[in-house]
PDB file of all heavy atoms in Angstrom:
ATOM      1  N   LEU B1165      -7.731 -27.008-163.034  1.00  0.00           N
ATOM      2  CA  LEU B1165      -8.446 -27.225-164.292  1.00  0.00           C
ATOM      3  C   LEU B1165      -8.299 -25.996-165.190  1.00  0.00           C
ATOM      4  O   LEU B1165      -7.999 -26.102-166.383  1.00  0.00           O
ATOM      5  CB  LEU B1165      -9.921 -27.488-163.974  1.00  0.00           C
ATOM      6  CG  LEU B1165     -10.897 -27.777-165.105  1.00  0.00           C
ATOM      7  CD1 LEU B1165     -10.459 -29.022-165.860  1.00  0.00           C
ATOM      8  CD2 LEU B1165     -12.310 -27.999-164.540  1.00  0.00           C
ATOM      9  N   PHE B1166      -8.470 -24.833-164.595  1.00  0.00           N
ATOM     10  CA  PHE B1166      -8.407 -23.595-165.377  1.00  0.00           C
ATOM     11  C   PHE B1166      -6.985 -23.347-165.889  1.00  0.00           C
ATOM     12  O   PHE B1166      -6.781 -22.965-167.037  1.00  0.00           O
ATOM     13  CB  PHE B1166      -8.889 -22.416-164.529  1.00  0.00           C
ATOM     14  CG  PHE B1166      -9.273 -21.217-165.356  1.00  0.00           C
ATOM     15  CD1 PHE B1166     -10.514 -21.146-165.956  1.00  0.00           C
ATOM     16  CD2 PHE B1166      -8.383 -20.165-165.536  1.00  0.00           C
ATOM     17  CE1 PHE B1166     -10.876 -20.046-166.731  1.00  0.00           C
ATOM     18  CE2 PHE B1166      -8.735 -19.062-166.303  1.00  0.00           C
ATOM     19  CZ  PHE B1166      -9.987 -19.009-166.897  1.00  0.00           C
ATOM     20  N   LYS B1167      -6.015 -23.603-165.023  1.00  0.00           N
ATOM     21  CA  LYS B1167      -4.611 -23.399-165.402  1.00  0.00           C
ATOM     22  C   LYS B1167      -4.233 -24.303-166.583  1.00  0.00           C
ATOM     23  O   LYS B1167      -3.571 -23.869-167.524  1.00  0.00           O
ATOM     24  CB  LYS B1167      -3.727 -23.729-164.199  1.00  0.00           C
ATOM     25  CG  LYS B1167      -2.461 -22.914-164.137  1.00  0.00           C
ATOM     26  CD  LYS B1167      -1.748 -23.224-162.854  1.00  0.00           C
ATOM     27  CE  LYS B1167      -0.619 -22.239-162.619  1.00  0.00           C
ATOM     28  NZ  LYS B1167      -0.084 -22.425-161.270  1.00  0.00           N
ATOM     29  N   ASP B1168      -4.690 -25.557-166.524  1.00  0.00           N
ATOM     30  CA  ASP B1168      -4.402 -26.491-167.613  1.00  0.00           C
ATOM     31  C   ASP B1168      -5.015 -25.998-168.925  1.00  0.00           C
ATOM     32  O   ASP B1168      -4.386 -26.079-169.980  1.00  0.00           O
ATOM     33  CB  ASP B1168      -4.943 -27.891-167.287  1.00  0.00           C
ATOM     34  CG  ASP B1168      -4.168 -28.546-166.146  1.00  0.00           C
ATOM     35  OD1 ASP B1168      -3.076 -28.028-165.805  1.00  0.00           O
ATOM     36  OD2 ASP B1168      -4.656 -29.552-165.584  1.00  0.00           O
ATOM     37  N   LEU B1169      -6.240 -25.508-168.859  1.00  0.00           N
ATOM     38  CA  LEU B1169      -6.901 -24.995-170.059  1.00  0.00           C
ATOM     39  C   LEU B1169      -6.112 -23.831-170.636  1.00  0.00           C
ATOM     40  O   LEU B1169      -5.925 -23.709-171.848  1.00  0.00           O
ATOM     41  CB  LEU B1169      -8.325 -24.523-169.736  1.00  0.00           C
ATOM     42  CG  LEU B1169      -9.354 -25.585-169.373  1.00  0.00           C
ATOM     43  CD1 LEU B1169     -10.628 -24.928-168.840  1.00  0.00           C
ATOM     44  CD2 LEU B1169      -9.682 -26.450-170.587  1.00  0.00           C
ATOM     45  N   GLN B1170      -5.629 -22.998-169.724  1.00  0.00           N
ATOM     46  CA  GLN B1170      -4.873 -21.822-170.148  1.00  0.00           C
ATOM     47  C   GLN B1170      -3.548 -22.215-170.778  1.00  0.00           C
ATOM     48  O   GLN B1170      -3.201 -21.729-171.853  1.00  0.00           O
ATOM     49  CB  GLN B1170      -4.569 -20.964-168.917  1.00  0.00           C
ATOM     50  CG  GLN B1170      -5.264 -19.642-168.876  1.00  0.00           C
ATOM     51  CD  GLN B1170      -4.807 -18.871-167.646  1.00  0.00           C
ATOM     52  OE1 GLN B1170      -4.966 -19.330-166.531  1.00  0.00           O
ATOM     53  NE2 GLN B1170      -4.230 -17.710-167.878  1.00  0.00           N
ATOM     54  N   SER B1171      -2.811 -23.113-170.115  1.00  0.00           N
ATOM     55  CA  SER B1171      -1.475 -23.426-170.644  1.00  0.00           C
ATOM     56  C   SER B1171      -1.563 -24.239-171.922  1.00  0.00           C
ATOM     57  O   SER B1171      -0.647 -24.195-172.745  1.00  0.00           O
ATOM     58  CB  SER B1171      -0.579 -24.082-169.585  1.00  0.00           C
ATOM     59  OG  SER B1171      -1.301 -25.025-168.866  1.00  0.00           O
ATOM     60  N   ALA B1172      -2.677 -24.957-172.131  1.00  0.00           N
ATOM     61  CA  ALA B1172      -2.836 -25.684-173.392  1.00  0.00           C
ATOM     62  C   ALA B1172      -3.492 -24.799-174.460  1.00  0.00           C
ATOM     63  O   ALA B1172      -3.848 -25.282-175.530  1.00  0.00           O
ATOM     64  CB  ALA B1172      -3.663 -26.942-173.158  1.00  0.00           C
ATOM     65  N   ALA B1173      -3.651 -23.510-174.143  1.00  0.00           N
ATOM     66  CA  ALA B1173      -4.284 -22.555-175.072  1.00  0.00           C
ATOM     67  C   ALA B1173      -5.662 -23.031-175.520  1.00  0.00           C
ATOM     68  O   ALA B1173      -6.072 -22.807-176.654  1.00  0.00           O
ATOM     69  CB  ALA B1173      -3.381 -22.283-176.276  1.00  0.00           C
ATOM     70  N   LYS B1174      -6.377 -23.697-174.624  1.00  0.00           N
ATOM     71  CA  LYS B1174      -7.718 -24.180-174.968  1.00  0.00           C
ATOM     72  C   LYS B1174      -8.773 -23.114-174.686  1.00  0.00           C
ATOM     73  O   LYS B1174      -9.954 -23.310-174.980  1.00  0.00           O
ATOM     74  CB  LYS B1174      -8.019 -25.444-174.152  1.00  0.00           C
ATOM     75  CG  LYS B1174      -7.118 -26.624-174.509  1.00  0.00           C
ATOM     76  CD  LYS B1174      -7.956 -27.739-175.093  1.00  0.00           C
ATOM     77  CE  LYS B1174      -7.123 -28.818-175.732  1.00  0.00           C
ATOM     78  NZ  LYS B1174      -6.861 -29.919-174.825  1.00  0.00           N
ATOM     79  N   ILE B1175      -8.369 -22.047-173.996  1.00  0.00           N
ATOM     80  CA  ILE B1175      -9.285 -20.938-173.750  1.00  0.00           C
ATOM     81  C   ILE B1175      -8.532 -19.628-173.970  1.00  0.00           C
ATOM     82  O   ILE B1175      -7.304 -19.593-173.933  1.00  0.00           O
ATOM     83  CB  ILE B1175      -9.851 -20.941-172.301  1.00  0.00           C
ATOM     84  CG1 ILE B1175      -8.701 -20.958-171.276  1.00  0.00           C
ATOM     85  CG2 ILE B1175     -10.792 -22.096-172.071  1.00  0.00           C
ATOM     86  CD1 ILE B1175      -9.146 -20.744-169.851  1.00  0.00           C
ATOM     87  N   ASP B1176      -9.300 -18.572-174.198  1.00  0.00           N
ATOM     88  CA  ASP B1176      -8.719 -17.237-174.327  1.00  0.00           C
ATOM     89  C   ASP B1176      -9.228 -16.460-173.110  1.00  0.00           C
ATOM     90  O   ASP B1176     -10.376 -16.034-173.069  1.00  0.00           O
ATOM     91  CB  ASP B1176      -9.208 -16.643-175.652  1.00  0.00           C
ATOM     92  CG  ASP B1176      -8.808 -15.185-175.827  1.00  0.00           C
ATOM     93  OD1 ASP B1176      -8.246 -14.585-174.888  1.00  0.00           O
ATOM     94  OD2 ASP B1176      -9.087 -14.639-176.916  1.00  0.00           O
ATOM     95  N   TYR B1177      -8.367 -16.352-172.083  1.00  0.00           N
ATOM     96  CA  TYR B1177      -8.798 -15.811-170.788  1.00  0.00           C
ATOM     97  C   TYR B1177      -8.514 -14.311-170.730  1.00  0.00           C
ATOM     98  O   TYR B1177      -7.387 -13.876-170.948  1.00  0.00           O
ATOM     99  CB  TYR B1177      -8.063 -16.553-169.672  1.00  0.00           C
ATOM    100  CG  TYR B1177      -8.282 -16.012-168.264  1.00  0.00           C
ATOM    101  CD1 TYR B1177      -9.545 -15.650-167.797  1.00  0.00           C
ATOM    102  CD2 TYR B1177      -7.204 -15.910-167.385  1.00  0.00           C
ATOM    103  CE1 TYR B1177      -9.721 -15.184-166.501  1.00  0.00           C
ATOM    104  CE2 TYR B1177      -7.374 -15.448-166.081  1.00  0.00           C
ATOM    105  CZ  TYR B1177      -8.627 -15.082-165.652  1.00  0.00           C
ATOM    106  OH  TYR B1177      -8.791 -14.621-164.377  1.00  0.00           O
ATOM    107  N   ARG B1178      -9.525 -13.522-170.449  1.00  0.00           N
ATOM    108  CA  ARG B1178      -9.365 -12.069-170.290  1.00  0.00           C
ATOM    109  C   ARG B1178      -9.693 -11.702-168.849  1.00  0.00           C
ATOM    110  O   ARG B1178     -10.867 -11.532-168.506  1.00  0.00           O
ATOM    111  CB  ARG B1178     -10.307 -11.315-171.224  1.00  0.00           C
ATOM    112  CG  ARG B1178     -10.406 -11.872-172.636  1.00  0.00           C
ATOM    113  CD  ARG B1178      -9.353 -11.270-173.542  1.00  0.00           C
ATOM    114  NE  ARG B1178      -9.485 -11.800-174.898  1.00  0.00           N
ATOM    115  CZ  ARG B1178     -10.185 -11.226-175.875  1.00  0.00           C
ATOM    116  NH1 ARG B1178     -10.852 -10.106-175.639  1.00  0.00           N
ATOM    117  NH2 ARG B1178     -10.233 -11.757-177.073  1.00  0.00           N
TER     118      ARG B1178
END
Side-chain angles (χ1 to χ4, degrees):
Chain B
L1165 181 60
F1166 198 82
K1167 212 174 191 171
D1168 291 346
L1169 291 170
Q1170 248 183 301
S1171 42
K1174 294 244 168 95
I1175 55 171
D1176 173 354
Y1177 174 44
R1178 317 272 181 93

